[in-house]
Amino acid sequence: MRIPFFLFVFAAALQAQTPELETYIEVRTGTLPIVLTVPHGGTLKPESLLARRYGVTGIDSNTIPLSEMIIEELAARYGGKPHVIISRLSRSKLDPNRDLEEAAQGDPTAIAAWHRFHDSAQKACNAVMKKSGMGLLLDIHGHRHLDQRVELGYLVKAEVLKHSDAELNADAALIASTSIRDLDKRSPQSFAQLLRGPQSLGALLEFRGFRCMPSGSKSNPAFLAGYFSGAYDVTAHGSSKSGTVSAIQVECPWNNVRDTPENQRRFAIALADSLGVYFEVHFGRKLK
C-alpha cells in the first residue's frame, strides 16, 4: 500500500505544529563523534495515534535506561556527550527502525514522528561529520535469542559471517554494502579483523566480560540460533551509501545486560571503555 502524497504534506505540517512530537521523539545535541539512536524502548500509547496493524510491536525493554547510562559513562570518560535520538512511542504506534510505510502505517502523526526521528538522526550525523570528519552511530536494541550474547550488526548476514576471513576480505561488493564501509577504509586492520578480530568491538566487549557475536570467540551464529545483522536505521544513517559516519546495530540480551540496573551500568562502563580503544585503533584518533 502506497502512502498518499497528501499525507506526507500533512505530516510535514504536523511536525511544525504538534508540540507532542518533541515528547514522542526526544532529541539531544551532543559534542562527541557518536550518535545514539534508541527506536524500540518507548512506552507511550496516545489514543490519537492508530495502532499498527502488522509488523513487530514488542518493546525492547530497558533500552532507554541502558542508553542513559551509556551517555553518562561516555561523558565521564571523554568530557562530552553523544547526540541522542530516542523514540518514546510504543512500537505498537511507531517503529522507527522500518521504512515509513511499515513504520507508521498511514497515521499522519506517526508519519511526522518518523520524519522527526530520521531527520534528527541525519542532522546529528551531519553535525558529527562537520565537526570531526567521521564518527559512529550506535543503534541500541534488545533481543531474547537463546544465545544470550551481545549481537553486533554491520549489515553482514549470518550466512556470510560463516565465510573465512580471506573470503570476507576479498569481497569488495560486500564491504561496500556494509554500514561500516567508511570505517573499513580508515582502519589499519582488515575488514574481517574489524568484524571479529582481537580489537573488534565484539572482542573489546568480551575482554570486559560480555559475550558477543561476531567476535574472536564466536565468529558466526549457530544454525537457527538467531542473529540481527542490522535493519533500517543503520542502513539509512551508516556509511553504506555515502557519508563518513559508520553504524552498528547493538542488540543487547536480557540476561546480564538489560535485566537489572547493576548489569546495565556494567555494560555501559564496558561499552564506553571499549569505544575509547575502538576509536584510537580504527578511527586513528582519541574519542573526544
Side-chain angles (χ1 to χ4, degrees), residues 196-223:
R196 59 197 185 198
Q199 291 174 308
S200 64
L201 185 57
L204 293 170
L205 285 168
E206 288 211 329
F207 179 74
R208 291 162 177 81
F210 292 91
R211 299 189 309 151
C212 292
M213 180 175 61
S215 67
S217 72
K218 186 77 171 178
S219 61
N220 58 79
F223 182 62

PDB file of all heavy atoms in Angstrom, residues 196-223:
ATOM      1  N   ARG A 196      35.620  -9.195  13.639  1.00  0.00           N
ATOM      2  CA  ARG A 196      35.761 -10.223  14.678  1.00  0.00           C
ATOM      3  C   ARG A 196      37.192 -10.467  15.122  1.00  0.00           C
ATOM      4  O   ARG A 196      37.492 -11.479  15.750  1.00  0.00           O
ATOM      5  CB  ARG A 196      35.132 -11.528  14.191  1.00  0.00           C
ATOM      6  CG  ARG A 196      35.739 -12.084  12.905  1.00  0.00           C
ATOM      7  CD  ARG A 196      34.822 -13.108  12.268  1.00  0.00           C
ATOM      8  NE  ARG A 196      35.413 -13.747  11.092  1.00  0.00           N
ATOM      9  CZ  ARG A 196      34.722 -14.412  10.174  1.00  0.00           C
ATOM     10  NH1 ARG A 196      33.409 -14.539  10.294  1.00  0.00           N
ATOM     11  NH2 ARG A 196      35.319 -14.984   9.149  1.00  0.00           N
ATOM     12  N   GLY A 197      38.074  -9.521  14.816  1.00  0.00           N
ATOM     13  CA  GLY A 197      39.455  -9.647  15.253  1.00  0.00           C
ATOM     14  C   GLY A 197      39.630  -9.275  16.715  1.00  0.00           C
ATOM     15  O   GLY A 197      38.677  -8.908  17.406  1.00  0.00           O
ATOM     16  N   PRO A 198      40.854  -9.331  17.231  1.00  0.00           N
ATOM     17  CA  PRO A 198      41.110  -9.097  18.657  1.00  0.00           C
ATOM     18  C   PRO A 198      40.851  -7.667  19.105  1.00  0.00           C
ATOM     19  O   PRO A 198      40.757  -7.419  20.309  1.00  0.00           O
ATOM     20  CB  PRO A 198      42.587  -9.465  18.817  1.00  0.00           C
ATOM     21  CG  PRO A 198      43.166  -9.415  17.443  1.00  0.00           C
ATOM     22  CD  PRO A 198      42.069  -9.773  16.517  1.00  0.00           C
ATOM     23  N   GLN A 199      40.714  -6.723  18.161  1.00  0.00           N
ATOM     24  CA  GLN A 199      40.382  -5.345  18.531  1.00  0.00           C
ATOM     25  C   GLN A 199      39.067  -4.888  17.890  1.00  0.00           C
ATOM     26  O   GLN A 199      38.805  -3.694  17.779  1.00  0.00           O
ATOM     27  CB  GLN A 199      41.530  -4.412  18.142  1.00  0.00           C
ATOM     28  CG  GLN A 199      42.782  -4.643  18.994  1.00  0.00           C
ATOM     29  CD  GLN A 199      43.969  -3.821  18.536  1.00  0.00           C
ATOM     30  OE1 GLN A 199      44.325  -3.845  17.357  1.00  0.00           O
ATOM     31  NE2 GLN A 199      44.575  -3.095  19.447  1.00  0.00           N
ATOM     32  N   SER A 200      38.247  -5.867  17.502  1.00  0.00           N
ATOM     33  CA  SER A 200      36.886  -5.559  17.052  1.00  0.00           C
ATOM     34  C   SER A 200      36.070  -5.114  18.263  1.00  0.00           C
ATOM     35  O   SER A 200      36.451  -5.343  19.419  1.00  0.00           O
ATOM     36  CB  SER A 200      36.243  -6.789  16.423  1.00  0.00           C
ATOM     37  OG  SER A 200      36.103  -7.825  17.396  1.00  0.00           O
ATOM     38  N   LEU A 201      34.940  -4.488  18.013  1.00  0.00           N
ATOM     39  CA  LEU A 201      34.105  -4.058  19.135  1.00  0.00           C
ATOM     40  C   LEU A 201      33.637  -5.261  19.939  1.00  0.00           C
ATOM     41  O   LEU A 201      33.584  -5.209  21.181  1.00  0.00           O
ATOM     42  CB  LEU A 201      32.900  -3.255  18.622  1.00  0.00           C
ATOM     43  CG  LEU A 201      32.007  -2.649  19.704  1.00  0.00           C
ATOM     44  CD1 LEU A 201      32.801  -1.745  20.643  1.00  0.00           C
ATOM     45  CD2 LEU A 201      30.843  -1.885  19.071  1.00  0.00           C
ATOM     46  N   GLY A 202      33.324  -6.373  19.257  1.00  0.00           N
ATOM     47  CA  GLY A 202      32.919  -7.577  19.969  1.00  0.00           C
ATOM     48  C   GLY A 202      34.004  -8.095  20.887  1.00  0.00           C
ATOM     49  O   GLY A 202      33.748  -8.467  22.041  1.00  0.00           O
ATOM     50  N   ALA A 203      35.240  -8.133  20.401  1.00  0.00           N
ATOM     51  CA  ALA A 203      36.347  -8.629  21.217  1.00  0.00           C
ATOM     52  C   ALA A 203      36.637  -7.694  22.389  1.00  0.00           C
ATOM     53  O   ALA A 203      36.942  -8.139  23.504  1.00  0.00           O
ATOM     54  CB  ALA A 203      37.598  -8.800  20.359  1.00  0.00           C
ATOM     55  N   LEU A 204      36.547  -6.394  22.157  1.00  0.00           N
ATOM     56  CA  LEU A 204      36.789  -5.434  23.237  1.00  0.00           C
ATOM     57  C   LEU A 204      35.748  -5.577  24.336  1.00  0.00           C
ATOM     58  O   LEU A 204      36.066  -5.477  25.531  1.00  0.00           O
ATOM     59  CB  LEU A 204      36.782  -4.009  22.675  1.00  0.00           C
ATOM     60  CG  LEU A 204      37.940  -3.665  21.733  1.00  0.00           C
ATOM     61  CD1 LEU A 204      37.700  -2.319  21.054  1.00  0.00           C
ATOM     62  CD2 LEU A 204      39.271  -3.647  22.488  1.00  0.00           C
ATOM     63  N   LEU A 205      34.496  -5.825  23.955  1.00  0.00           N
ATOM     64  CA  LEU A 205      33.460  -6.049  24.954  1.00  0.00           C
ATOM     65  C   LEU A 205      33.642  -7.387  25.669  1.00  0.00           C
ATOM     66  O   LEU A 205      33.413  -7.498  26.878  1.00  0.00           O
ATOM     67  CB  LEU A 205      32.075  -5.983  24.299  1.00  0.00           C
ATOM     68  CG  LEU A 205      31.576  -4.582  23.946  1.00  0.00           C
ATOM     69  CD1 LEU A 205      30.351  -4.659  23.044  1.00  0.00           C
ATOM     70  CD2 LEU A 205      31.252  -3.788  25.209  1.00  0.00           C
ATOM     71  N   GLU A 206      34.072  -8.418  24.932  1.00  0.00           N
ATOM     72  CA  GLU A 206      34.316  -9.712  25.571  1.00  0.00           C
ATOM     73  C   GLU A 206      35.435  -9.616  26.597  1.00  0.00           C
ATOM     74  O   GLU A 206      35.361 -10.221  27.670  1.00  0.00           O
ATOM     75  CB  GLU A 206      34.634 -10.766  24.509  1.00  0.00           C
ATOM     76  CG  GLU A 206      33.425 -11.168  23.699  1.00  0.00           C
ATOM     77  CD  GLU A 206      33.474 -12.610  23.223  1.00  0.00           C
ATOM     78  OE1 GLU A 206      34.597 -13.120  22.985  1.00  0.00           O
ATOM     79  OE2 GLU A 206      32.391 -13.210  23.097  1.00  0.00           O
ATOM     80  N   PHE A 207      36.465  -8.859  26.294  1.00  0.00           N
ATOM     81  CA  PHE A 207      37.568  -8.660  27.231  1.00  0.00           C
ATOM     82  C   PHE A 207      37.065  -8.048  28.533  1.00  0.00           C
ATOM     83  O   PHE A 207      37.638  -8.281  29.610  1.00  0.00           O
ATOM     84  CB  PHE A 207      38.624  -7.758  26.594  1.00  0.00           C
ATOM     85  CG  PHE A 207      39.801  -7.471  27.478  1.00  0.00           C
ATOM     86  CD1 PHE A 207      40.771  -8.437  27.714  1.00  0.00           C
ATOM     87  CD2 PHE A 207      39.923  -6.231  28.102  1.00  0.00           C
ATOM     88  CE1 PHE A 207      41.860  -8.166  28.547  1.00  0.00           C
ATOM     89  CE2 PHE A 207      41.008  -5.952  28.925  1.00  0.00           C
ATOM     90  CZ  PHE A 207      41.976  -6.927  29.153  1.00  0.00           C
ATOM     91  N   ARG A 208      35.951  -7.307  28.453  1.00  0.00           N
ATOM     92  CA  ARG A 208      35.376  -6.648  29.624  1.00  0.00           C
ATOM     93  C   ARG A 208      34.184  -7.408  30.197  1.00  0.00           C
ATOM     94  O   ARG A 208      33.410  -6.868  30.977  1.00  0.00           O
ATOM     95  CB  ARG A 208      35.000  -5.213  29.258  1.00  0.00           C
ATOM     96  CG  ARG A 208      36.233  -4.342  29.021  1.00  0.00           C
ATOM     97  CD  ARG A 208      35.928  -3.068  28.243  1.00  0.00           C
ATOM     98  NE  ARG A 208      37.147  -2.255  28.125  1.00  0.00           N
ATOM     99  CZ  ARG A 208      38.109  -2.459  27.233  1.00  0.00           C
ATOM    100  NH1 ARG A 208      37.979  -3.454  26.340  1.00  0.00           N
ATOM    101  NH2 ARG A 208      39.197  -1.702  27.209  1.00  0.00           N
ATOM    102  N   GLY A 209      34.029  -8.669  29.770  1.00  0.00           N
ATOM    103  CA  GLY A 209      33.087  -9.543  30.446  1.00  0.00           C
ATOM    104  C   GLY A 209      31.749  -9.780  29.783  1.00  0.00           C
ATOM    105  O   GLY A 209      30.866 -10.394  30.393  1.00  0.00           O
ATOM    106  N   PHE A 210      31.575  -9.347  28.517  1.00  0.00           N
ATOM    107  CA  PHE A 210      30.295  -9.514  27.843  1.00  0.00           C
ATOM    108  C   PHE A 210      30.472 -10.318  26.558  1.00  0.00           C
ATOM    109  O   PHE A 210      31.152  -9.885  25.633  1.00  0.00           O
ATOM    110  CB  PHE A 210      29.669  -8.148  27.538  1.00  0.00           C
ATOM    111  CG  PHE A 210      29.245  -7.421  28.770  1.00  0.00           C
ATOM    112  CD1 PHE A 210      30.120  -6.547  29.411  1.00  0.00           C
ATOM    113  CD2 PHE A 210      27.993  -7.635  29.323  1.00  0.00           C
ATOM    114  CE1 PHE A 210      29.746  -5.892  30.568  1.00  0.00           C
ATOM    115  CE2 PHE A 210      27.608  -6.981  30.485  1.00  0.00           C
ATOM    116  CZ  PHE A 210      28.487  -6.114  31.117  1.00  0.00           C
ATOM    117  N   ARG A 211      29.868 -11.479  26.522  1.00  0.00           N
ATOM    118  CA  ARG A 211      29.974 -12.331  25.343  1.00  0.00           C
ATOM    119  C   ARG A 211      29.308 -11.656  24.146  1.00  0.00           C
ATOM    120  O   ARG A 211      28.218 -11.101  24.266  1.00  0.00           O
ATOM    121  CB  ARG A 211      29.327 -13.687  25.608  1.00  0.00           C
ATOM    122  CG  ARG A 211      29.963 -14.457  26.748  1.00  0.00           C
ATOM    123  CD  ARG A 211      29.433 -15.886  26.827  1.00  0.00           C
ATOM    124  NE  ARG A 211      27.968 -15.896  26.814  1.00  0.00           N
ATOM    125  CZ  ARG A 211      27.230 -16.900  26.334  1.00  0.00           C
ATOM    126  NH1 ARG A 211      27.821 -17.960  25.804  1.00  0.00           N
ATOM    127  NH2 ARG A 211      25.916 -16.849  26.376  1.00  0.00           N
ATOM    128  N   CYS A 212      29.963 -11.716  22.993  1.00  0.00           N
ATOM    129  CA  CYS A 212      29.495 -11.007  21.799  1.00  0.00           C
ATOM    130  C   CYS A 212      29.572 -11.892  20.566  1.00  0.00           C
ATOM    131  O   CYS A 212      30.281 -12.906  20.537  1.00  0.00           O
ATOM    132  CB  CYS A 212      30.350  -9.758  21.556  1.00  0.00           C
ATOM    133  SG  CYS A 212      30.141  -8.477  22.786  1.00  0.00           S
ATOM    134  N   MET A 213      28.865 -11.441  19.544  1.00  0.00           N
ATOM    135  CA  MET A 213      28.924 -12.049  18.222  1.00  0.00           C
ATOM    136  C   MET A 213      28.658 -10.948  17.190  1.00  0.00           C
ATOM    137  O   MET A 213      27.689 -10.182  17.366  1.00  0.00           O
ATOM    138  CB  MET A 213      27.890 -13.157  18.105  1.00  0.00           C
ATOM    139  CG  MET A 213      27.859 -13.853  16.757  1.00  0.00           C
ATOM    140  SD  MET A 213      26.709 -15.235  16.751  1.00  0.00           S
ATOM    141  CE  MET A 213      25.162 -14.370  17.103  1.00  0.00           C
ATOM    142  N   PRO A 214      29.493 -10.823  16.153  1.00  0.00           N
ATOM    143  CA  PRO A 214      30.728 -11.581  15.938  1.00  0.00           C
ATOM    144  C   PRO A 214      31.861 -11.093  16.833  1.00  0.00           C
ATOM    145  O   PRO A 214      31.923  -9.933  17.209  1.00  0.00           O
ATOM    146  CB  PRO A 214      31.038 -11.308  14.463  1.00  0.00           C
ATOM    147  CG  PRO A 214      30.416  -9.976  14.188  1.00  0.00           C
ATOM    148  CD  PRO A 214      29.187  -9.912  15.038  1.00  0.00           C
ATOM    149  N   SER A 215      32.739 -12.037  17.141  1.00  0.00           N
ATOM    150  CA  SER A 215      33.943 -11.759  17.924  1.00  0.00           C
ATOM    151  C   SER A 215      34.903 -12.908  17.689  1.00  0.00           C
ATOM    152  O   SER A 215      34.565 -13.874  16.985  1.00  0.00           O
ATOM    153  CB  SER A 215      33.611 -11.634  19.411  1.00  0.00           C
ATOM    154  OG  SER A 215      33.197 -12.886  19.929  1.00  0.00           O
ATOM    155  N   GLY A 216      36.057 -12.837  18.311  1.00  0.00           N
ATOM    156  CA  GLY A 216      37.006 -13.922  18.136  1.00  0.00           C
ATOM    157  C   GLY A 216      36.496 -15.242  18.669  1.00  0.00           C
ATOM    158  O   GLY A 216      36.794 -16.302  18.109  1.00  0.00           O
ATOM    159  N   SER A 217      35.695 -15.202  19.732  1.00  0.00           N
ATOM    160  CA  SER A 217      35.199 -16.439  20.329  1.00  0.00           C
ATOM    161  C   SER A 217      33.949 -16.968  19.638  1.00  0.00           C
ATOM    162  O   SER A 217      33.611 -18.134  19.769  1.00  0.00           O
ATOM    163  CB  SER A 217      34.894 -16.228  21.814  1.00  0.00           C
ATOM    164  OG  SER A 217      33.737 -15.425  21.976  1.00  0.00           O
ATOM    165  N   LYS A 218      33.247 -16.110  18.912  1.00  0.00           N
ATOM    166  CA  LYS A 218      32.005 -16.505  18.244  1.00  0.00           C
ATOM    167  C   LYS A 218      31.918 -15.730  16.939  1.00  0.00           C
ATOM    168  O   LYS A 218      31.382 -14.618  16.877  1.00  0.00           O
ATOM    169  CB  LYS A 218      30.804 -16.197  19.147  1.00  0.00           C
ATOM    170  CG  LYS A 218      29.469 -16.704  18.624  1.00  0.00           C
ATOM    171  CD  LYS A 218      29.299 -18.199  18.834  1.00  0.00           C
ATOM    172  CE  LYS A 218      27.876 -18.635  18.507  1.00  0.00           C
ATOM    173  NZ  LYS A 218      27.690 -20.096  18.654  1.00  0.00           N
ATOM    174  N   SER A 219      32.455 -16.313  15.882  1.00  0.00           N
ATOM    175  CA  SER A 219      32.567 -15.589  14.612  1.00  0.00           C
ATOM    176  C   SER A 219      31.259 -15.550  13.843  1.00  0.00           C
ATOM    177  O   SER A 219      31.049 -14.670  13.000  1.00  0.00           O
ATOM    178  CB  SER A 219      33.649 -16.225  13.736  1.00  0.00           C
ATOM    179  OG  SER A 219      33.319 -17.572  13.442  1.00  0.00           O
ATOM    180  N   ASN A 220      30.340 -16.503  14.114  1.00  0.00           N
ATOM    181  CA  ASN A 220      29.066 -16.536  13.415  1.00  0.00           C
ATOM    182  C   ASN A 220      28.049 -17.289  14.264  1.00  0.00           C
ATOM    183  O   ASN A 220      28.422 -18.085  15.140  1.00  0.00           O
ATOM    184  CB  ASN A 220      29.208 -17.183  12.030  1.00  0.00           C
ATOM    185  CG  ASN A 220      29.746 -18.600  12.111  1.00  0.00           C
ATOM    186  OD1 ASN A 220      29.013 -19.526  12.420  1.00  0.00           O
ATOM    187  ND2 ASN A 220      31.041 -18.761  11.844  1.00  0.00           N
ATOM    188  N   PRO A 221      26.754 -17.063  14.040  1.00  0.00           N
ATOM    189  CA  PRO A 221      25.734 -17.718  14.860  1.00  0.00           C
ATOM    190  C   PRO A 221      25.576 -19.188  14.524  1.00  0.00           C
ATOM    191  O   PRO A 221      25.828 -19.612  13.391  1.00  0.00           O
ATOM    192  CB  PRO A 221      24.466 -16.938  14.530  1.00  0.00           C
ATOM    193  CG  PRO A 221      24.702 -16.390  13.164  1.00  0.00           C
ATOM    194  CD  PRO A 221      26.167 -16.111  13.079  1.00  0.00           C
ATOM    195  N   ALA A 222      25.154 -19.942  15.516  1.00  0.00           N
ATOM    196  CA  ALA A 222      24.843 -21.353  15.286  1.00  0.00           C
ATOM    197  C   ALA A 222      23.587 -21.461  14.426  1.00  0.00           C
ATOM    198  O   ALA A 222      22.795 -20.519  14.322  1.00  0.00           O
ATOM    199  CB  ALA A 222      24.650 -22.068  16.617  1.00  0.00           C
ATOM    200  N   PHE A 223      23.384 -22.605  13.824  1.00  0.00           N
ATOM    201  CA  PHE A 223      22.231 -22.838  12.956  1.00  0.00           C
ATOM    202  C   PHE A 223      20.933 -22.567  13.706  1.00  0.00           C
ATOM    203  O   PHE A 223      20.698 -23.108  14.791  1.00  0.00           O
ATOM    204  CB  PHE A 223      22.256 -24.278  12.443  1.00  0.00           C
ATOM    205  CG  PHE A 223      21.129 -24.612  11.493  1.00  0.00           C
ATOM    206  CD1 PHE A 223      21.010 -23.950  10.279  1.00  0.00           C
ATOM    207  CD2 PHE A 223      20.190 -25.570  11.829  1.00  0.00           C
ATOM    208  CE1 PHE A 223      19.978 -24.244   9.404  1.00  0.00           C
ATOM    209  CE2 PHE A 223      19.155 -25.874  10.953  1.00  0.00           C
ATOM    210  CZ  PHE A 223      19.056 -25.209   9.743  1.00  0.00           C
TER     211      PHE A 223
END
